[in-house]
Amino acid sequence: LYDLELIKVGKIYDNGTPAVVDFDLAVVKGEFIAFLGPSGCGKTTTLRMIAGFEQISSGTIRVRGSAINDLPPERRPTSMIFQNYALFPHMTVRRNIGYGLEVKGLSAKQRAAKVDHLLATLSLEDVADKRPDKLSGGQRQRIALARGLAVEPEILLLDEPLGALDANLRKTIQAELKILQKTLGITFVFVTHAQSEALSLSDRIVVMNQGRIEQISPPHQLYTRP
Ligand code: ADP
Ligand code: ADP
């Protein structure tokens, strides 16, 4: 049984733009998938359709065999991490991380246990009571990761999460993402236009161009003909 399947998924925006065409992909649990391709090729649209932020125009998206096409984002087993972190500036780090759990109605005590664990996992204990705008880009992205993981998603969707970081931090967070993949055993779908990121992070790379999949290859076969 696949963890995530996209079957002939397509997206045509209201203005007629065919952003994604016949997207077919099957992902096993724990796999790290990268969507790689130039700006405008449909990576983010595909990710947003999996998250439920964008309606699909055709096809089916399944998680563990069940179609999720009609579920709203909050009822999908996914979390999305954005390039610009999308943190709440007026809330502390702790509250930002626990926000999704608050929405789900967990008690303060239940939230605290999970949040403390994530603060430790992502080395954020020292900044737990600060506000995100006082913190570095790397810390902010760790907070966003912790917030996404707090709701225990089956699938973590990452939209160019390293794009706003400098080269050193990018390496650090890359390494942390690999550790999270190994320890959590959840599925990662990662959007990037940087080949180096796709090569060093992913188990398979989906190369996209003008809304279509050009090839799907493990990193060591990216430059080999099938
Ligand atoms: P990428 O993430 O690879 O940069 P996108 O998925 O953002 O690509 O965009 C794919 C195509 O869809 C582009 O032609 C883009 O201009 C178009 N597009 C994206 N969002 C919208 C939208 N909300 N309305 C209309 N067209 C859009
Ligand atoms: P990215 O390349 O990272 O996908 P963009 O800068 O292309 O980001 O898009 C930023 C936002 O604008 C997204 O929400 C996207 O859906 C929207 N967008 C992109 N292209 C169009 C378009 N042609 N018409 C309307 N909205 C668009």
Side-chain angles (χ1 to χ4, degrees), residues 127-148:
V127 298
D129 298 309
K130 298 210 158 93
R131 287 177 213 290
D133 50 354
K134 302 271 186 289
L135 304 176
S136 71
Q139 286 168 320
R140 287 189 213 184
Q141 197 50 285
R142 284 196 194 94
I143 300 162
L145 272 166
R147 185 181 57 185

Side-chain angles (χ1 to χ4, degrees), residues 32 34 63-64 95 118 120 123 128 132 149 151 153 155 179 183 197 202-203 215:
F32 200 123
V63 173
R64 295 183 159 230
R95 183 118 189 272
L118 284 162
S123 310
L149 293 171
V151 296
I155 302 168
I179 292 169
T183 53
E197 281 176 12
S202 58
D203 298 315
Q215 67 178 75

Side-chain angles (χ1 to χ4, degrees), residues 37-88:
S39 181
C41 74
K43 305 181 297 294
T44 298
T45 298
T46 307
L47 204 68
R48 290 172 59 84
M49 289 192 289
I50 300 170
F53 298 147
E54 207 71 70
Q55 283 286 108
I56 65 175
S57 307
S58 53
T60 308
I61 301 178
R62 294 198 184 127
V63 173
R64 295 183 159 230
S66 302
I68 59 164
N69 297 7
D70 298 325
L71 292 182
E74 63 276 12
R75 295 198 45 220
R76 296 188 183 204
T78 54
S79 280
M80 187 136 155
I81 312 293
F82 302 91
Q83 175 171 358
N84 65 2
Y85 324 124
L87 298 169
F88 301 111

Side-chain angles (χ1 to χ4, degrees), residues 10-43:
K11 177 69 184 184
I12 299 174
Y13 281 107
D14 291 343
N15 63 7
T17 307
V20 178
V21 183
D22 283 347
F23 193 103
D24 275 311
L25 178 68
V27 181
V28 296
K29 181 136 200 81
E31 221 183 341
F32 200 123
I33 297 287
F35 294 170
L36 174 67
S39 181
C41 74
K43 305 181 297 294

